[in-house]
């Protein structure tokens, strides 16, 4: 390939910080990173409350500890994934192997699509559990609503990341199809001319051909 592969120029160019920061996927990853911090940090700090009649702290979402654990787990993994993908995006133009670029883009697409679904499930679960919480006045309502809201915002950012990852993958496939053409199936490319269009020149007849065509009289051997 010449020029670019999977949405980035080929290896050899200098790292452009300004261009990297302005890329849509970079902005989306930073937003996803920030939203994940809000979700898991809020649940960790204010998501568990001590009820008067119970010694153990319970989750503020309808006392469902699984809901809080799910939000924290999804948020922490999303936080780590954003850091990893940001590093890969920064290193991506320096990768000269198109196959390695393809694997990175496919991994980005699969992970982003999966986390879009998981964040949407998190949003639905937390919103449902909060709506079924009986005594909301004794709980940090602003924190609970912030967790639900940023779970929904994370669904949007990861969905957009999936879209841009799919666009990069499609661009890489199209670039490969345009740059590579199978000679066996290509009917438009003419065959190269023969090195001897009119046959070899300077050919001389074999010196033994005349003797073979006109043999002399046979002389039997004398004993």
């Amino acid at each position: 390939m010449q020029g670019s592969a999977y949405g980035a120029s080929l290896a050899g160019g200098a790292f452009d910080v300004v261009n990297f920061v302005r890329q849509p996927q970079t902005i989306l990853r930073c937003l996803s990173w920030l939203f994940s911090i809000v979700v898991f940090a809020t649940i960790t700090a204010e998501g568990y409350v001590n009820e008067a009649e119970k010694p153990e702290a319970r989750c503020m979402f309808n006392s469902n500890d699984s809901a809080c654990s799910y939000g924290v787990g999804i948020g922490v993994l999303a936080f780590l994934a954003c850091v990893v993908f940001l590093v890969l995006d920064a290193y991506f133009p320096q990768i000269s192997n198109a196959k390695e670029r393809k694997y990175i883009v496919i991994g980005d697409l699969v992970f982003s699509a999966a986390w879009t679904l998981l964040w949407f499930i998190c949003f639905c679960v937390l919103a449902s559990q909060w709506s079924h919480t009986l005594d909301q006045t004794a709980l940090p309502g602003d924190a609970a609503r912030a967790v639900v809201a940023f779970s929904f915002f994370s669904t949007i950012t990861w969905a957009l990341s999936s879209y841009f990852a799919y666009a990069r993958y499609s661009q890489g496939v199209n670039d490969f199809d345009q740059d590579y053409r199978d000679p066996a199936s290509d009917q438009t490319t003419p065959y190269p001319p023969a090195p001897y269009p009119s046959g070899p020149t300077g050919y001389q007849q074999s010196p033994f051909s005349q003797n073979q065509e006109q043999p002399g009289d046979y002389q039997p051997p004398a004993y």
Side-chain angles (χ1 to χ4, degrees):
M1 296 180 184
Q2 301 293 333
S4 64
Y6 292 97
S9 59
L10 292 177
F15 177 69
D16 190 354
V17 179
V18 177
N19 186 36
F20 173 73
V21 173
R22 291 179 178 179
Q23 291 179 354
Q25 60 265 27
T26 303
I27 299 174
L28 288 172
R29 296 199 199 283
C30 292
L31 290 176
S32 299
W33 177 77
L34 179 62
F35 295 164
S36 64
I37 293 177
V38 172
V39 172
F40 78 79
T42 302
I43 295 177
T44 303
E46 303 183 45
Y48 294 91
V49 295
N50 291 317
E51 299 179 0
E53 63 276 7
K54 296 181 181 179
E56 297 181 356
R58 304 292 294 177
C59 178
M60 63 181 174
F61 293 98
N62 199 24
S63 299
N64 189 346
D65 292 339
S66 298
C68 287
S69 299
Y70 182 82
V72 172
I74 294 299
V76 171
L77 292 178
F79 169 81
L80 297 176
C82 289
V83 175
V84 172
F85 282 120
L86 279 173
V87 174
L88 290 176
D89 288 341
Y91 185 66
F92 195 80
Q94 306 301 322
I95 301 176
S96 59
N97 193 331
K99 185 175 292 186
E100 293 180 358
R101 291 189 176 191
K102 178 180 178 181
Y103 291 153
I104 294 175
V105 173
I106 291 177
D108 182 14
L109 175 60
V110 173
F111 190 91
S112 298
W115 246 247
T116 301
L117 177 61
L118 293 177
W119 272 121
F120 181 72
I121 295 174
C122 182
F123 163 73
C124 294
V125 169
L126 295 181
S128 175
Q129 293 298 317
W130 179 248
S131 64
H132 289 83
T133 303
L134 299 178
D135 188 11
Q136 298 183 1
T137 58
L139 301 174
D142 293 339
R145 285 185 287 269
V147 170
V148 174
F150 280 95
S151 297
F152 179 74
F153 296 156
S154 297
T155 304
I156 297 176
T157 56
W158 283 98
L160 291 175
S161 297
S162 303
Y163 169 76
F164 283 107
Y166 179 76
R168 284 205 301 175
Y169 176 77
S170 299
Q171 182 179 357
V173 173
N174 293 333
D175 291 341
F176 180 80
D177 291 340
Q178 292 176 2
D179 293 341
Y180 175 77
R181 180 177 295 173
D182 189 2
S185 60
D186 185 10
Q187 304 297 332
T188 60
T189 304
Y191 289 99
Y196 303 103
S198 59
T201 58
Y203 174 75
Q204 296 180 356
Q205 190 176 12
S206 174
F208 301 100
S209 60
Q210 184 176 2
N211 295 334
Q212 293 176 356
E213 294 176 357
Q214 298 177 358
D217 296 338
Y218 174 73
Q219 298 293 334
Y223 297 98

